Amino acid sequence: MENVQQILENQVLTVAKAMEDKIDDEIAALDRLESDDIEVLREKRIKQMKKMAEKRSRWISLGHGDYSEIPSEKEFFSVVKASDRVVCHFYRENWPCKVMDKHLSVLAKQHIETRFVKIQAEKSPFLAEKLKIVVLPTLAVIKNAKVENYLGRRGGKNRVMWRVKEKERGT
C-alpha cells in the first residue's frame, strides 16, 4: 500500500513541477515584452474587438437580442437561413407557453449571438409535422439551418423534461 502511495505522490509532484515550469516560462515571456510587443498585442486586441462589434451589429440587424414572433412558415425558413443559431419556440396560447415566452425574452437579451423566435404551432402544420412536434411548448435548437435538438415537455408529464446533448453542455 505504501508503494502505491509513493508512486502516486511522485506523479503528483511531477505534474506540479511541470505546471510550475510552464507558469514560470509564461511569466518570463511577459517580463521580456518590450513596448513594441505590447503595441502588437494591443493592435491585435483592437482588431478582435472591431470584428466582434461588426458581428454584433450584424446580429442586431437580423433581429438578434429581441424575442419576436414569426407570422408564417415561409418566414421561418428565411430566419433560419439568415442566422447561424436560432432557438424557435413552438407555442399556443396557454399558460406554459406564456411562461416560456417570459424566460425566452430574458435569454434573448443575454445571448445576442442567438436569434430567439416563436411560431404558433397550430398555424404552421407543415413545420410541426416535419419536426415531429407533439407536445407544446417545444423549443427547437437550430444550428446552421439544421435542427440540432429539441427542448420541452415530454408527452403528458406535468413537469418540464430538458434533454440536452452532452457535447452541448460545455457550450
Side-chain angles (χ1 to χ4, degrees), residues 54-154:
E54 289 171 3
K55 274 186 177 180
R56 188 173 175 84
S57 295
R58 181 178 173 273
W59 289 334
I60 289 172
S61 71
L62 290 173
H64 290 233
D66 289 325
Y67 179 56
S68 56
E69 183 165 2
I70 300 173
S72 68
E73 291 178 328
K74 185 178 180 181
E75 278 191 48
F76 172 83
F77 293 106
S78 62
V79 165
V80 167
K81 288 178 185 175
S83 297
D84 292 338
R85 296 178 179 181
V86 178
V87 172
C88 185
H89 174 209
F90 288 87
Y91 80 100
R92 70 195 298 185
E93 293 297 327
N94 62 11
W95 178 79
C97 292
K98 289 179 182 180
V99 171
M100 185 75 75
D101 283 342
K102 178 183 166 191
H103 292 293
L104 290 175
S105 64
V106 170
L107 286 172
K109 290 173 180 58
Q110 293 175 349
H111 294 279
I112 198 163
E113 72 279 1
T114 302
R115 174 107 191 251
F116 287 82
V117 295
K118 66 180 181 175
I119 189 166
Q120 196 165 11
E122 294 166 341
K123 290 184 180 178
S124 51
F126 174 78
L127 282 174
E129 183 180 326
K130 284 293 180 186
L131 299 176
K132 297 179 176 90
I133 295 171
V134 179
V135 180
L136 299 176
T138 295
L139 297 179
V141 178
I142 304 161
K143 223 174 186 179
N144 299 321
K146 185 177 177 184
V147 176
E148 290 283 318
N149 204 355
Y150 296 98
L151 307 169
R153 290 174 48 156
R154 282 241 178 117

